[in-house]
Amino acid sequence: MNLKEKLQRLVLRYRMIKNHPISSQSPFKAMLRYLSFNIYQLISPKPRIYNWVGGLKFYAEKGDAGIVGNIYYRLMDYEDSKFLLDTLNNEDVFVDVGANLGHYSMLASGICKSKVIAIEPISHTVNKLKKNLELNKLLEKVTILKYGVGDKNEELNFTTNKNVMNGVVKNGANSTTKIKVKTLNHLLKNVSPTCIKIDVEGYEYNVIKGAHDIFRNPSLKYLLIEFNNSGEKFGFHDEDVYQLILDYNFVPVKYDVENKSILPIESYNTHKFNTLFIRKDFD
């Protein structure tokens, strides 16, 4: 990356910081946190502990895309994270499909005190997730299931060279490994989730296809799903995923953080990755 590209990247990051509800309050401090993190990682690349919201902490190092933004934004996925914090309680069950390094699992278990089931297939990422949970004394409060999730119980090839962004690939090749994949119907056979978050690098359609019993259970009130067109490599479009969710009687909504209210929207989000859904008949 040349100097011009680095400057363009810094300008882009600053704009993103300025647009974030929390970091926009002190953008220069947020930018300093961003620069400090990257300088530390350049000099001595290793995990460091960072303080977070609600007394939580986490380890982060270069490449930890699932959590590192919390260093400078303070709270990534702001509206979605605030929705969880304002909605879930100790009677709820939160299922984190594609738990990554535990952003949502830590919020749900550590602050909301909900029962959490974190599903993550890649050993490297699971080890990092466990360290974050252990750091916050949450390891015994979160059930970790080391499986991939899909529409049938089978073995599939997963990438191993994309740090915390690994996922299913159609064919085995270099830098892949075989991993056991289960359906949510199987993994959650005796569980009644209140909320499910799904972020599986384009495999969302298959995950939902294997969860018909769970999606029909009236206890499931909320869904948080990523839409980023990455399902096209598996032959599915975001619209296919969206229609499948609608078929289970869920509708897309946005969370108004200031008023703590849920507002209907016309379709899934295209200006950001995640979309929140609520069961239509849930009052």
Side-chain angles (χ1 to χ4, degrees):
M1 186 182 297
N2 59 39
L3 180 59
K4 183 180 178 180
E5 291 173 331
K6 289 179 180 179
L7 289 173
Q8 289 175 337
R9 186 170 183 176
L10 287 174
V11 170
L12 177 60
R13 179 62 64 188
Y14 183 72
R15 288 174 179 170
M16 294 172 70
I17 284 172
K18 284 278 288 183
N19 288 328
H20 190 278
I22 298 179
S23 58
S24 62
Q25 298 172 19
S26 301
F28 293 109
K29 288 184 179 180
M31 197 66 188
L32 181 60
R33 293 194 296 271
Y34 170 77
L35 292 171
S36 297
F37 169 75
N38 282 280
I39 291 170
Y40 284 143
Q41 288 299 306
L42 184 63
I43 296 172
S44 178
K46 63 180 181 180
R48 289 177 172 82
I49 296 174
Y50 293 88
N51 293 322
W52 197 22
V53 296
L56 294 172
K57 300 178 180 181
F58 59 85
Y59 288 99
E61 62 183 317
K62 194 73 172 177
D64 287 348
I67 205 163
V68 73
N70 289 312
I71 296 170
Y72 33 94
Y73 295 128
R74 293 303 191 198
L75 189 61
M76 292 169 53
D77 299 341
Y78 179 70
E79 290 84 3
D80 304 325
S81 299
K82 285 291 290 181
F83 171 77
L84 256 65
L85 293 174
D86 292 342
T87 304
L88 298 184
N89 58 50
N90 60 2
E91 296 181 354
D92 293 321
V93 178
F94 176 70
V95 178
D96 196 353
V97 184
N100 202 283
L101 304 184
H103 173 99
Y104 286 99
S105 288
M106 286 190 286
L107 293 177
S109 62
I111 298 179
C112 303
K113 308 303 179 185
S114 300
K115 177 181 178 181
V116 173
I117 298 173
I119 307 174
E120 176 59 48
I122 306 298
S123 297
H124 172 71
T125 308
V126 169
N127 290 336
K128 289 191 170 191
L129 169 63
K130 286 181 176 178
K131 287 181 179 179
N132 279 332
L133 294 174
E134 187 175 23
L135 180 64
N136 293 284
K137 297 180 173 59
L138 296 172
L139 196 53
E140 295 182 358
K141 298 180 181 180
V142 176
T143 300
I144 299 176
L145 302 179
K146 189 176 174 295
Y147 292 103
V149 183
D151 57 344
K152 61 184 72 172
N153 296 336
E154 57 183 339
E155 282 194 348
L156 292 175
N157 292 303
F158 281 70
T159 58
T160 58
N161 62 342
K162 297 184 178 181
N163 204 324
V164 297
M165 305 299 289
N166 289 297
V168 176
V169 288
K170 284 186 175 181
N171 301 306
N174 293 332
S175 301
T176 63
T177 185
K178 287 278 189 182
I179 288 180
K180 289 183 179 180
V181 173
K182 304 289 184 181
T183 66
L184 283 183
N185 284 340
H186 177 92
L187 293 173
L188 306 178
K189 188 174 182 180
N190 299 311
V191 180
S192 295
T194 309
C195 180
I196 297 178
K197 184 224 83 180
I198 304 175
D199 180 356
V200 287
E201 305 305 317
Y203 216 60
E204 284 78 10
Y205 187 88
N206 303 73
V207 170
I208 298 169
K209 288 287 287 185
H212 49 82
D213 292 341
I214 304 302
F215 274 57
R216 289 171 181 152
N217 189 333
S219 72
L220 182 60
K221 302 170 184 176
Y222 313 108
L223 300 171
L224 185 60
I225 311 283
E226 183 177 49
F227 291 85
N228 64 1
N229 294 311
S230 58
E232 293 182 0
K233 59 191 173 187
F234 302 112
F236 302 108
H237 301 284
D238 283 352
E239 190 63 36
D240 299 321
V241 179
Y242 177 61
Q243 189 57 55
L244 187 58
I245 295 170
L246 295 184
D247 291 344
Y248 283 110
N249 210 29
F250 285 86
V251 292
V253 297
K254 65 177 292 186
Y255 183 59
D256 182 341
V257 174
E258 184 176 350
N259 297 304
K260 296 187 177 182
S261 61
I262 293 173
L263 306 174
I265 56 177
E266 291 186 1
S267 184
Y268 62 89
N269 291 316
T270 55
H271 62 284
K272 64 175 187 174
F273 288 156
N274 291 337
T275 300
L276 177 66
F277 291 83
I278 185 172
R279 187 177 292 279
K280 186 184 294 186
D281 54 5
F282 170 62
D283 187 1

